[in-house]
Amino acid sequence: MGKTSDLTAVQKTIIDTLHKEGKTQKVIAKEAGCSQSSVSKHINRQAKGWKKCGRKKCTSSRDNRTLQRIVTTNPFKNVGEIHKEWTAAGVSASRTTTRRLMKDMGFRCRIPCVKPLLNMKQRKKRLAWAKDKKDWTDAEWSKVMFSDESKFCISFGNQGPRVWRKSGEAQNPRCMRSSVKFPPSVMVWGAMSSAGVGPLCFLRSRVNAAVYQEVLEHFMLPAADQLYGDADFTFQQDLAPAHSAKTTSTWFKDHGIPVLDWPANSPDLNPIENLWGIVKRRMQYARPNNAEELKTTIRATWALITPEQCHRLIESMPRRITAVIEAKGAPTKY
Protein backbone atom coordinates (compact mmCIF):
# COMPACT_ATOMS: atom_id res chain seq x y z
CA MET A 1 0.00 0.00 0.00
CA GLY A 2 1.71 3.13 -1.24
CA LYS A 3 1.89 6.79 -0.41
CA THR A 4 -0.75 9.39 -1.14
CA SER A 5 0.99 10.21 -4.43
CA ASP A 6 0.57 6.56 -5.48
CA LEU A 7 -3.23 6.64 -5.25
CA THR A 8 -4.97 6.19 -8.57
CA ALA A 9 -7.77 8.44 -9.77
CA VAL A 10 -10.24 5.64 -9.06
CA GLN A 11 -9.00 5.25 -5.47
CA LYS A 12 -9.21 8.99 -4.85
CA THR A 13 -12.78 9.05 -6.15
CA ILE A 14 -13.72 6.17 -3.83
CA ILE A 15 -12.12 7.94 -0.86
CA ASP A 16 -13.91 11.23 -1.59
CA THR A 17 -17.28 9.51 -2.09
CA LEU A 18 -17.12 7.39 1.06
CA HIS A 19 -15.79 10.31 3.11
CA LYS A 20 -18.83 12.37 2.09
CA GLU A 21 -21.04 9.46 3.18
CA GLY A 22 -19.49 9.65 6.66
CA LYS A 23 -17.58 6.35 6.52
CA THR A 24 -14.63 5.83 8.85
CA GLN A 25 -11.10 5.97 7.49
CA LYS A 26 -10.64 2.28 8.30
CA VAL A 27 -13.64 1.32 6.17
CA ILE A 28 -12.58 3.68 3.38
CA ALA A 29 -9.06 2.21 3.32
CA LYS A 30 -10.46 -1.30 3.00
CA GLU A 31 -12.82 -0.34 0.15
CA ALA A 32 -10.17 1.70 -1.71
CA GLY A 33 -7.46 -0.93 -1.27
CA CYS A 34 -4.88 1.40 0.29
CA SER A 35 -3.43 2.18 3.71
CA GLN A 36 -5.36 4.16 6.33
CA SER A 37 -2.57 6.76 6.47
CA SER A 38 -2.96 7.37 2.71
CA VAL A 39 -6.68 7.95 3.24
CA SER A 40 -5.99 10.36 6.10
CA LYS A 41 -3.42 12.36 4.12
CA HIS A 42 -5.69 12.59 1.08
CA ILE A 43 -8.65 13.78 3.15
CA ASN A 44 -6.51 16.37 4.97
CA ARG A 45 -5.04 17.60 1.71
CA GLN A 46 -8.51 18.05 0.25
CA ALA A 47 -9.72 19.86 3.39
CA LYS A 48 -6.80 22.31 3.34
CA GLY A 49 -7.09 22.89 -0.40
CA TRP A 50 -3.56 21.74 -1.10
CA LYS A 51 -2.73 21.18 -4.72
CA LYS A 52 -0.57 18.32 -5.83
CA CYS A 53 3.00 19.41 -6.38
CA GLY A 54 5.24 18.07 -9.08
CA ARG A 55 5.63 18.38 -12.80
CA LYS A 56 2.69 19.54 -14.87
CA LYS A 57 0.85 16.83 -16.80
CA CYS A 58 2.05 16.46 -20.36
CA THR A 59 -1.35 15.43 -21.74
CA SER A 60 -4.68 17.21 -21.88
CA SER A 61 -8.15 15.84 -21.21
CA ARG A 62 -8.67 15.62 -24.95
CA ASP A 63 -5.48 13.55 -25.32
CA ASN A 64 -6.70 11.22 -22.57
CA ARG A 65 -10.05 10.78 -24.29
CA THR A 66 -8.20 9.88 -27.49
CA LEU A 67 -6.21 7.24 -25.59
CA GLN A 68 -9.35 5.77 -24.05
CA ARG A 69 -11.01 5.60 -27.47
CA ILE A 70 -7.99 3.77 -28.94
CA VAL A 71 -7.99 1.17 -26.15
CA THR A 72 -11.77 0.69 -26.28
CA THR A 73 -11.80 0.33 -30.08
CA ASN A 74 -9.17 -2.42 -30.12
CA PRO A 75 -8.52 -3.80 -26.62
CA PHE A 76 -6.31 -6.63 -27.92
CA LYS A 77 -3.44 -4.30 -28.86
CA ASN A 78 -0.36 -4.31 -26.63
CA VAL A 79 1.02 -1.18 -24.95
CA GLY A 80 3.58 -0.58 -27.71
CA GLU A 81 0.93 -0.60 -30.45
CA ILE A 82 -1.42 1.60 -28.43
CA HIS A 83 1.40 4.07 -27.68
CA LYS A 84 2.39 4.20 -31.36
CA GLU A 85 -1.18 4.95 -32.48
CA TRP A 86 -1.64 7.54 -29.73
CA THR A 87 1.55 9.45 -30.55
CA ALA A 88 0.66 9.26 -34.25
CA ALA A 89 -2.43 11.31 -33.33
CA GLY A 90 -0.14 14.18 -32.27
CA VAL A 91 0.32 13.40 -28.57
CA SER A 92 3.78 13.78 -27.04
CA ALA A 93 4.11 11.19 -24.27
CA SER A 94 6.36 8.32 -23.27
CA ARG A 95 5.39 4.66 -23.27
CA THR A 96 5.49 4.71 -19.46
CA THR A 97 2.99 7.58 -19.43
CA THR A 98 0.76 5.62 -21.79
CA ARG A 99 0.73 2.61 -19.49
CA ARG A 100 0.19 4.74 -16.37
CA LEU A 101 -2.75 6.63 -17.88
CA MET A 102 -4.35 3.37 -19.03
CA LYS A 103 -4.06 2.09 -15.47
CA ASP A 104 -5.56 5.33 -14.09
CA MET A 105 -8.49 4.88 -16.48
CA GLY A 106 -9.15 1.47 -14.93
CA PHE A 107 -7.77 -0.73 -17.71
CA ARG A 108 -5.94 -3.92 -16.71
CA CYS A 109 -4.21 -6.41 -18.98
CA ARG A 110 -6.04 -9.73 -18.61
CA ILE A 111 -6.37 -13.08 -20.36
CA PRO A 112 -9.65 -12.83 -22.35
CA CYS A 113 -12.57 -15.11 -21.61
CA VAL A 114 -13.36 -17.59 -24.37
CA LYS A 115 -16.87 -17.98 -25.76
CA PRO A 116 -18.20 -20.40 -28.40
CA LEU A 117 -18.99 -18.89 -31.78
CA LEU A 118 -22.76 -19.30 -32.25
CA ASN A 119 -24.90 -18.46 -35.26
CA MET A 120 -28.54 -17.41 -34.97
CA LYS A 121 -29.85 -20.92 -35.70
CA GLN A 122 -27.75 -22.39 -32.88
CA ARG A 123 -28.91 -19.68 -30.48
CA LYS A 124 -32.56 -20.44 -31.23
CA LYS A 125 -31.99 -24.15 -30.63
CA ARG A 126 -30.18 -23.42 -27.35
CA LEU A 127 -33.05 -21.21 -26.22
CA ALA A 128 -35.64 -23.85 -27.14
CA TRP A 129 -33.64 -26.54 -25.33
CA ALA A 130 -33.32 -24.38 -22.21
CA LYS A 131 -37.04 -23.64 -22.12
CA ASP A 132 -37.77 -27.36 -22.47
CA LYS A 133 -35.47 -28.22 -19.53
CA LYS A 134 -36.20 -25.25 -17.27
CA ASP A 135 -38.51 -27.27 -14.98
CA TRP A 136 -36.09 -30.14 -14.43
CA THR A 137 -35.29 -30.77 -10.77
CA ASP A 138 -31.92 -31.53 -9.15
CA ALA A 139 -33.06 -35.14 -8.82
CA GLU A 140 -33.60 -35.37 -12.58
CA TRP A 141 -30.21 -33.81 -13.36
CA SER A 142 -28.52 -36.19 -10.90
CA LYS A 143 -29.55 -39.05 -13.23
CA VAL A 144 -27.53 -37.55 -16.09
CA MET A 145 -23.95 -38.66 -16.72
CA PHE A 146 -22.08 -35.76 -18.36
CA SER A 147 -19.12 -36.48 -20.62
CA ASP A 148 -16.59 -34.52 -22.64
CA GLU A 149 -13.10 -34.50 -24.12
CA SER A 150 -10.48 -31.96 -23.10
CA LYS A 151 -7.01 -30.99 -24.28
CA PHE A 152 -4.08 -31.17 -21.90
CA CYS A 153 -0.65 -29.82 -22.83
CA ILE A 154 2.72 -30.31 -21.21
CA SER A 155 3.13 -26.52 -21.07
CA PHE A 156 0.30 -24.43 -19.59
CA GLY A 157 2.04 -21.11 -20.24
CA ASN A 158 0.63 -20.36 -23.72
CA GLN A 159 -2.59 -18.51 -22.91
CA GLY A 160 -2.83 -16.60 -26.20
CA PRO A 161 -3.29 -12.82 -26.63
CA ARG A 162 -4.26 -10.66 -23.68
CA VAL A 163 -6.91 -7.93 -23.57
CA TRP A 164 -7.17 -4.50 -21.94
CA ARG A 165 -10.40 -4.22 -19.99
CA LYS A 166 -11.90 -2.58 -16.93
CA SER A 167 -13.36 -4.22 -13.85
CA GLY A 168 -16.69 -5.87 -14.66
CA GLU A 169 -15.98 -6.16 -18.41
CA ALA A 170 -14.92 -9.83 -18.43
CA GLN A 171 -18.15 -10.84 -20.24
CA ASN A 172 -18.23 -7.80 -22.55
CA PRO A 173 -18.31 -9.19 -26.13
CA ARG A 174 -15.57 -6.83 -27.29
CA CYS A 175 -13.24 -8.18 -24.58
CA MET A 176 -13.75 -11.86 -25.41
CA ARG A 177 -12.26 -14.08 -28.06
CA SER A 178 -14.07 -16.82 -29.96
CA SER A 179 -13.04 -20.44 -29.58
CA VAL A 180 -12.83 -23.12 -32.23
CA LYS A 181 -13.87 -26.62 -31.21
CA PHE A 182 -11.42 -29.53 -31.43
CA PRO A 183 -8.06 -27.93 -32.29
CA PRO A 184 -5.35 -30.50 -33.22
CA SER A 185 -4.25 -31.95 -29.87
CA VAL A 186 -4.13 -35.01 -27.64
CA MET A 187 -7.48 -35.39 -25.93
CA VAL A 188 -8.67 -36.94 -22.67
CA TRP A 189 -12.19 -38.33 -22.28
CA GLY A 190 -13.94 -38.22 -18.92
CA ALA A 191 -17.38 -38.50 -17.34
CA MET A 192 -19.07 -37.27 -14.18
CA SER A 193 -22.36 -37.31 -12.30
CA SER A 194 -23.56 -35.93 -8.99
CA ALA A 195 -22.02 -39.04 -7.36
CA GLY A 196 -18.47 -38.35 -8.56
CA VAL A 197 -16.20 -38.97 -11.54
CA GLY A 198 -15.55 -42.02 -13.69
CA PRO A 199 -12.25 -43.36 -15.09
CA LEU A 200 -10.31 -41.29 -17.62
CA CYS A 201 -9.51 -42.43 -21.16
CA PHE A 202 -6.45 -41.04 -22.94
CA LEU A 203 -7.18 -40.91 -26.66
CA ARG A 204 -4.21 -41.96 -28.78
CA SER A 205 -5.66 -41.34 -32.23
CA ARG A 206 -8.21 -39.24 -34.04
CA VAL A 207 -11.64 -39.98 -32.59
CA ASN A 208 -13.93 -41.52 -35.20
CA ALA A 209 -17.12 -43.47 -34.55
CA ALA A 210 -15.30 -46.80 -34.08
CA VAL A 211 -12.79 -45.34 -31.59
CA TYR A 212 -15.54 -43.56 -29.68
CA GLN A 213 -17.57 -46.75 -29.36
CA GLU A 214 -14.50 -48.47 -27.88
CA VAL A 215 -14.31 -45.63 -25.32
CA LEU A 216 -17.98 -46.14 -24.47
CA GLU A 217 -17.53 -49.90 -24.14
CA HIS A 218 -14.41 -49.86 -21.98
CA PHE A 219 -14.75 -46.61 -20.03
CA MET A 220 -18.32 -45.29 -20.08
CA LEU A 221 -19.98 -48.57 -19.07
CA PRO A 222 -17.59 -49.11 -16.11
CA ALA A 223 -18.20 -45.47 -15.10
CA ALA A 224 -21.96 -46.09 -15.17
CA ASP A 225 -21.56 -49.17 -12.96
CA GLN A 226 -19.38 -47.17 -10.57
CA LEU A 227 -21.65 -44.11 -10.36
CA TYR A 228 -25.15 -45.59 -10.74
CA GLY A 229 -24.93 -49.32 -10.07
CA ASP A 230 -28.18 -50.88 -11.31
CA ALA A 231 -30.08 -47.56 -11.37
CA ASP A 232 -31.21 -46.00 -14.65
CA PHE A 233 -29.33 -43.01 -16.05
CA THR A 234 -29.20 -40.78 -19.13
CA PHE A 235 -25.97 -40.18 -21.01
CA GLN A 236 -24.93 -36.70 -22.18
CA GLN A 237 -22.55 -36.00 -25.05
CA ASP A 238 -21.98 -33.11 -27.44
CA LEU A 239 -22.64 -33.22 -31.18
CA ALA A 240 -19.15 -34.16 -32.39
CA PRO A 241 -19.27 -36.24 -35.60
CA ALA A 242 -18.16 -39.42 -33.81
CA HIS A 243 -20.89 -38.91 -31.19
CA SER A 244 -23.73 -38.31 -33.64
CA ALA A 245 -22.76 -41.05 -36.12
CA LYS A 246 -25.46 -43.60 -37.01
CA THR A 247 -23.34 -46.50 -35.75
CA THR A 248 -22.92 -44.72 -32.40
CA SER A 249 -26.67 -44.17 -32.13
CA THR A 250 -27.15 -47.87 -32.87
CA TRP A 251 -24.64 -48.74 -30.12
CA PHE A 252 -26.68 -46.80 -27.55
CA LYS A 253 -29.93 -48.44 -28.69
CA ASP A 254 -28.38 -51.91 -28.51
CA HIS A 255 -27.21 -51.22 -24.94
CA GLY A 256 -30.51 -49.63 -23.89
CA ILE A 257 -28.90 -46.33 -22.84
CA PRO A 258 -30.96 -43.13 -23.43
CA VAL A 259 -28.99 -40.11 -24.70
CA LEU A 260 -29.86 -36.58 -23.63
CA ASP A 261 -30.65 -34.26 -26.54
CA TRP A 262 -28.02 -31.52 -26.54
CA PRO A 263 -27.70 -28.15 -28.33
CA ALA A 264 -24.67 -27.64 -30.56
CA ASN A 265 -21.63 -25.69 -29.40
CA SER A 266 -22.79 -25.36 -25.78
CA PRO A 267 -19.86 -25.98 -23.41
CA ASP A 268 -21.32 -23.41 -21.00
CA LEU A 269 -24.18 -25.81 -20.30
CA ASN A 270 -21.93 -28.76 -19.48
CA PRO A 271 -20.73 -28.85 -15.84
CA ILE A 272 -17.82 -31.15 -16.70
CA GLU A 273 -16.21 -28.16 -18.46
CA ASN A 274 -15.89 -26.55 -15.02
CA LEU A 275 -14.40 -29.79 -13.74
CA TRP A 276 -11.72 -29.71 -16.45
CA GLY A 277 -11.00 -26.13 -15.39
CA ILE A 278 -10.51 -27.20 -11.76
CA VAL A 279 -8.08 -29.94 -12.82
CA LYS A 280 -6.07 -27.59 -15.06
CA ARG A 281 -5.84 -24.89 -12.37
CA ARG A 282 -4.52 -27.46 -9.90
CA MET A 283 -1.97 -28.54 -12.49
CA GLN A 284 -0.78 -25.07 -13.44
CA TYR A 285 2.43 -25.37 -11.43
CA ALA A 286 3.13 -28.97 -12.49
CA ARG A 287 5.95 -29.34 -15.00
CA PRO A 288 5.81 -32.83 -16.52
CA ASN A 289 8.76 -33.62 -18.79
CA ASN A 290 6.98 -36.02 -21.14
CA ALA A 291 3.57 -37.40 -22.07
CA GLU A 292 3.68 -40.24 -19.54
CA GLU A 293 4.42 -37.85 -16.67
CA LEU A 294 1.58 -35.62 -17.91
CA LYS A 295 -0.84 -38.56 -17.87
CA THR A 296 0.25 -39.47 -14.35
CA THR A 297 -0.33 -35.91 -13.17
CA ILE A 298 -3.77 -35.76 -14.80
CA ARG A 299 -4.83 -39.07 -13.22
CA ALA A 300 -3.63 -37.99 -9.78
CA THR A 301 -5.40 -34.62 -10.01
CA TRP A 302 -8.60 -36.18 -11.37
CA ALA A 303 -8.63 -38.61 -8.44
CA LEU A 304 -8.75 -35.66 -6.02
CA ILE A 305 -12.14 -34.52 -7.36
CA THR A 306 -14.71 -35.15 -4.61
CA PRO A 307 -18.38 -36.17 -4.99
CA GLU A 308 -19.29 -32.93 -3.18
CA GLN A 309 -17.66 -30.86 -5.94
CA CYS A 310 -19.52 -32.83 -8.60
CA HIS A 311 -22.82 -32.49 -6.75
CA ARG A 312 -22.42 -28.69 -6.54
CA LEU A 313 -21.74 -28.51 -10.27
CA ILE A 314 -24.81 -30.61 -11.09
CA GLU A 315 -26.89 -28.35 -8.84
CA SER A 316 -25.85 -25.40 -11.05
CA MET A 317 -27.81 -26.75 -14.05
CA PRO A 318 -31.04 -24.79 -13.28
CA ARG A 319 -28.97 -21.58 -13.02
CA ARG A 320 -27.20 -22.32 -16.31
CA ILE A 321 -30.53 -22.86 -18.05
CA THR A 322 -31.97 -19.65 -16.60
CA ALA A 323 -28.88 -17.75 -17.82
CA VAL A 324 -29.32 -19.10 -21.37
CA ILE A 325 -33.00 -18.09 -21.38
CA GLU A 326 -32.16 -14.59 -20.12
CA ALA A 327 -29.41 -14.31 -22.78
CA LYS A 328 -31.88 -15.50 -25.45
CA GLY A 329 -29.60 -18.37 -26.43
CA ALA A 330 -26.33 -16.41 -26.44
CA PRO A 331 -23.22 -17.77 -24.65
CA THR A 332 -23.21 -17.33 -20.88
CA LYS A 333 -20.52 -16.88 -18.22
CA TYR A 334 -20.60 -20.53 -17.17
Side-chain angles (χ1 to χ4, degrees):
M1 297 185 182
K3 303 175 183 178
T4 310
S5 58
D6 295 329
L7 294 175
T8 65
V10 175
Q11 287 177 315
K12 291 177 180 178
T13 303
I14 293 173
I15 293 172
D16 293 337
T17 302
L18 295 180
H19 179 61
K20 290 178 181 178
E21 294 176 358
K23 303 291 184 182
T24 64
Q25 292 184 4
K26 185 176 181 180
V27 172
I28 296 174
K30 185 177 180 180
E31 292 292 328
C34 62
S35 65
Q36 190 171 337
S37 62
S38 295
V39 173
S40 176
K41 290 177 182 178
H42 177 75
I43 292 174
N44 291 335
R45 176 171 294 183
Q46 293 294 98
K48 296 179 180 179
W50 291 351
K51 293 184 178 180
K52 184 178 178 180
C53 58
R55 192 173 65 177
K56 185 180 178 181
K57 292 183 178 180
C58 63
T59 59
S60 63
S61 298
R62 183 177 182 178
D63 295 335
N64 295 346
R65 289 195 299 272
T66 301
L67 176 60
Q68 183 159 3
R69 184 171 63 252
I70 292 171
V71 179
T72 304
T73 302
N74 195 338
F76 288 91
K77 287 186 175 182
N78 58 41
V79 176
E81 293 170 329
I82 292 172
H83 173 69
K84 185 176 180 180
E85 184 174 344
W86 194 34
T87 53
V91 179
S92 178
S94 66
R95 180 168 171 162
T96 302
T97 299
T98 304
R99 180 183 289 275
R100 177 177 53 78
L101 285 175
M102 289 167 64
K103 184 178 179 181
D104 289 344
M105 292 173 185
F107 290 106
R108 299 293 184 270
C109 192
R110 298 288 186 260
I111 296 171
C113 296
V114 180
K115 67 171 182 177
L117 194 60
L118 296 173
N119 56 40
M120 189 54 64
K121 184 178 179 180
Q122 290 172 331
R123 291 191 181 193
K124 288 180 179 179
K125 287 186 176 181
R126 277 165 54 89
L127 181 59
W129 183 91
K131 288 181 178 179
D132 182 58
K133 300 293 188 293
K134 66 182 177 66
D135 295 326
W136 276 35
T137 63
D138 290 343
E140 289 176 293
W141 285 115
S142 68
K143 295 179 182 179
V144 178
M145 180 193 292
F146 291 89
S147 70
D148 190 35
E149 296 90 6
S150 185
K151 176 180 69 175
F152 283 82
C153 302
I154 290 179
S155 173
F156 292 92
N158 183 16
Q159 300 286 350
R162 298 176 76 90
V163 61
W164 289 98
R165 70 183 188 218
K166 296 182 180 180
S167 177
E169 290 187 337
Q171 300 299 321
N172 190 315
R174 70 175 183 80
C175 296
M176 302 175 74
R177 62 185 178 90
S178 298
S179 64
V180 179
K181 233 174 150 49
F182 303 120
S185 62
V186 175
M187 305 293 285
V188 182
W189 179 92
M192 66 166 286
S193 75
S194 62
V197 297
L200 291 175
C201 175
F202 293 92
L203 305 171
R204 297 182 179 181
S205 60
R206 183 181 179 85
V207 181
N208 55 28
V211 172
Y212 184 60
Q213 289 159 35
E214 288 291 321
V215 173
L216 296 175
E217 189 76 38
H218 299 293
F219 291 90
M220 190 275 282
L221 292 180
D225 291 337
Q226 173 188 329
L227 299 173
Y228 293 98
D230 296 330
D232 293 334
F233 72 97
T234 301
F235 185 69
Q236 179 277 335
Q237 59 181 2
D238 59 28
L239 300 184
H243 301 177
S244 55
K246 290 183 179 180
T247 55
T248 302
S249 299
T250 301
W251 187 94
F252 281 111
K253 289 178 182 178
D254 292 344
H255 287 77
I257 299 174
V259 178
L260 181 69
D261 61 301
W262 195 254
N265 222 1
S266 300
D268 54 333
L269 286 169
N270 195 344
I272 199 173
E273 293 284 354
N274 301 83
L275 211 56
W276 292 130
I278 291 172
V279 173
K280 290 177 180 179
R281 284 194 295 274
R282 289 180 177 178
M283 290 178 56
Q284 64 181 332
Y285 298 113
R287 291 295 178 266
N289 296 313
N290 52 55
E292 289 304 316
E293 289 185 10
L294 177 61
K295 290 179 182 180
T296 301
T297 306
I298 295 171
R299 286 194 189 98
T301 310
W302 183 256
L304 296 175
I305 299 296
T306 64
E308 290 76 20
Q309 286 176 300
C310 296
H311 185 69
R312 285 196 297 270
L313 288 173
I314 297 299
E315 283 185 328
S316 70
M317 285 304 298
R319 297 194 297 274
R320 294 169 191 263
I321 289 171
T322 300
V324 170
I325 294 174
E326 291 177 350
K328 298 181 180 179
T332 62
K333 66 179 181 179
Y334 289 97

